[in-house]
Amino acid sequence: MSEEIIVVEGTGVLTGQIRVSGAKNSALKLLAATLLGQGRSVVQNVPLISDIEVMTEVLRVLGATVEREGHQVAVDTSSVDCFETPYELVSKMRASISVLGPLIGRFGRARVAMPGGCQIGARKIDMHLAGLEHLGVEFTVDHGYLEANAPQGLHGAEVMLTFPSVGATENLLMAAVTAEGTTVIDNAAREPEIVDLCNMLNEMGAQITGGGSPSITIQGVPLDKLHPCVHQTVGDRIEAGTFLVGGALTGGPLKVTGIDPSFLRMALLKLREMGCTVETGPGWISVERSGSLRPTEIQTLPHPGFPTDLQAQFMLLAALAEGNSVITENVFENRFMFAAELCRMGANITIEGHHAFVQGVKALQGAPVSSTDLRAGGALVLAGIVAEGRTDVHQIRHIDRGYEDYVGKLSSLGACVKRVTV
């Protein structure tokens, strides 16, 4: 059975300028939010990635008309009359669970298959359900499907999240916009993608304040007061961070555009700490390095802390630093699976619980490796660029989930990388 892989020849070259795509983790939820607009909404700057294809298929199954032209997706949800998402789609992508909130907000009910998807952690949806129960939603599980119903209608409530979960915050936001009264989400997620969703919902007629802070207030409005809108997705901070790590690995100089530097403050701080020169301006960040990479200590935390989605990329940097680094993963329990693949290339990494002890080596060697998840895949291709010889990266479907034309973009920066069917 044939398989497509990414073949990388280690040249150590990655320099120039690249524009990042729209944020995957934002665009997926913005598309889900169009269900509340009951008309033709247009989402711009949408990345061309496989996860988006799954989400558009979910919307079509619900009865929406979806038209895509380049990076623009038009979604007409006026004829949506179904509130059930099938297992075969939800099992492909966990983010499909994000239609739960808007379906409840629109119909007062939903039937959504229990999520599957990523292998990096259990990522249970308990917090989503507990929060929505405060709004008057009742849940039952029937043959692998989650049945949601608000028999008395949705009502505002004060909800305290036990952890600032992005997914739970998003589902609560999209349900609460039509709840009667005021909803306050405390310990809310603060990611830039949350702010992007709040902005779009407000453009549709919602009344939300506090997006980007730990406390978000939603004044409910009647469903018929919501309307379609045109909204542009923010730039992808994780894609930007991935390319900046590439520049740091090879020395650069490398410049990424289409990104707000404030989205990556902690990552930029760590790049400087590791010996890189980082400059920023309106919508751009550049990195270069002339000296050796220095070791560091990193702890992943919810935003504005260090993003778990950049942990693998920075582990790669630490693997080539002069000295010992410690990386602590506090968000997803299985995210160190990447370390074993990097060790196949000659890295020296020891895992103890949720700590990774990284002893820097002088060089990596090309080897056959497998993407264990989306971000690990992106990092393994970067590792191949600085490794000696050839690296074959398998399971690249993970990379296609979140990086638009990754091979093409890396090639434009001077990397010797191509997709091959074997």
Side-chain angles (χ1 to χ4, degrees), residues 27 57 123 125 140 145 172 195 205 218 241 292 316 326 350 358 381 389:
E57 192 55 36
R123 304 209 279 189
I125 59 169
T140 56
Y145 278 81
L172 277 166
V195 179
I218 307 104
S292 301
L316 168 59
V326 180
T350 304
V358 188
V381 176

Side-chain angles (χ1 to χ4, degrees), residues 147-220:
E147 302 254 11
N149 192 30
Q152 307 300 318
L154 295 170
H155 55 77
E158 185 157 332
V159 181
M160 170 68 78
L161 295 177
T162 55
F163 177 85
S165 159
V166 173
T169 301
E170 290 163 340
N171 263 326
L172 277 166
L173 273 170
M174 290 189 277
V177 292
T178 65
E180 188 175 339
T182 303
T183 299
V184 178
I185 308 171
D186 285 319
N187 198 26
R190 300 163 61 185
E191 274 72 3
E193 295 81 13
I194 295 287
V195 179
D196 203 19
L197 177 60
C198 289
N199 289 341
M200 177 167 162
L201 290 170
N202 282 338
E203 289 159 19
M204 296 169 76
Q207 295 182 17
I208 303 169
T209 56
S213 79
S215 183
I216 302 176
T217 301
I218 307 104
Q219 184 64 49

Side-chain angles (χ1 to χ4, degrees), residues 22-30 49 51 166 170 193 236-238 309 374-375:
K24 158 184 132 56
N25 290 334
S26 197
L28 288 168
K29 317 309 167 62
L30 301 177
I49 54 175
D51 269 12
V166 173
E170 290 163 340
E193 295 81 13
D236 195 314
R237 63 196 170 100
I238 306 303
D309 279 353
L374 164 57
R375 306 306 172 186

Side-chain angles (χ1 to χ4, degrees), residues 93-111:
M93 183 184 68
R94 251 196 122 268
S96 308
I97 196 69
S98 59
V99 298
L100 179 64
L103 285 175
I104 292 170
R106 178 162 174 172
F107 296 110
R109 59 188 303 191
R111 190 169 191 264

Side-chain angles (χ1 to χ4, degrees), residues 45-365:
N45 197 29
V46 177
L48 289 155
I49 54 175
S50 61
D51 269 12
I52 294 293
E53 293 173 14
V54 175
M55 181 59 83
T56 56
E57 192 55 36
V58 168
L59 292 170
R60 288 190 179 103
V61 165
L62 293 171
T65 302
V66 184
E67 299 167 346
R68 171 148 210 168
E69 192 173 323
H71 293 96
Q72 179 171 291
V73 180
V75 186
D76 190 336
T77 60
S78 52
S79 59
V80 169
D81 56 1
C82 173
F83 45 82
E84 178 178 322
T85 58
Y87 172 76
E88 57 266 27
L89 290 175
V90 179
S91 64
K92 289 182 183 177
M93 183 184 68
R94 251 196 122 268
S96 308
I97 196 69
S98 59
V99 298
L100 179 64
L103 285 175
I104 292 170
R106 178 162 174 172
F107 296 110
R109 59 188 303 191
R111 190 169 191 264
V112 179
M114 298 293 277
C118 240
Q119 299 303 306
I120 54 173
R123 304 209 279 189
K124 296 182 174 67
I125 59 169
D126 300 3
M127 270 185 288
H128 300 235
L129 310 190
L132 290 165
E133 283 173 347
H134 282 286
L135 305 185
V137 183
E138 298 174 357
F139 291 98
T140 56
V141 176
D142 177 46
H143 297 284
Y145 278 81
L146 189 65
E147 302 254 11
N149 192 30
Q152 307 300 318
L154 295 170
H155 55 77
E158 185 157 332
V159 181
M160 170 68 78
L161 295 177
T162 55
F163 177 85
S165 159
V166 173
T169 301
E170 290 163 340
N171 263 326
L172 277 166
L173 273 170
M174 290 189 277
V177 292
T178 65
E180 188 175 339
T182 303
T183 299
V184 178
I185 308 171
D186 285 319
N187 198 26
R190 300 163 61 185
E191 274 72 3
E193 295 81 13
I194 295 287
V195 179
D196 203 19
L197 177 60
C198 289
N199 289 341
M200 177 167 162
L201 290 170
N202 282 338
E203 289 159 19
M204 296 169 76
Q207 295 182 17
I208 303 169
T209 56
S213 79
S215 183
I216 302 176
T217 301
I218 307 104
Q219 184 64 49
V221 300
L223 181 63
D224 61 10
K225 296 295 184 188
L226 297 177
H227 51 77
C229 73
V230 177
H231 182 84
Q232 176 150 323
T233 313
V234 296
D236 195 314
R237 63 196 170 100
I238 306 303
E239 184 191 8
T242 302
F243 282 114
L244 290 169
V245 165
L249 274 172
T250 64
L254 192 149
K255 183 177 185 179
V256 295
T257 63
I259 187 67
D260 183 338
S262 70
F263 291 0
L264 283 166
R265 282 182 185 144
M266 188 62 73
L268 301 186
L269 179 75
K270 289 298 175 183
L271 284 174
R272 292 185 176 109
E273 192 179 280
M274 296 184 80
C276 301
T277 300
V278 179
E279 294 183 357
T280 63
W284 63 267
I285 307 167
S286 69
V287 63
E288 61 182 311
R289 176 179 62 84
S290 53
S292 301
L293 280 166
R294 296 197 290 263
T296 189
E297 286 195 18
I298 287 172
Q299 288 203 41
T300 66
L301 289 167
H303 192 80
F306 189 91
T308 183
D309 279 353
L310 285 177
Q311 182 253 96
Q313 298 89 318
F314 273 76
M315 183 182 285
L316 168 59
L317 275 182
L320 289 165
E322 284 190 355
N324 299 328
S325 299
V326 180
I327 298 176
T328 303
E329 176 56 62
N330 294 309
V331 181
F332 292 137
E333 65 268 29
N334 292 336
R335 205 146 214 173
F336 284 150
M337 291 191 296
F338 164 74
E341 296 303 305
L342 201 54
C343 287
R344 289 169 61 82
M345 302 178 71
N348 186 346
I349 304 168
T350 304
I351 306 297
E352 291 183 15
H354 64 130
H355 304 287
F357 299 94
V358 188
Q359 186 174 331
V361 297
K362 295 217 176 289
L364 297 175
Q365 293 84 45

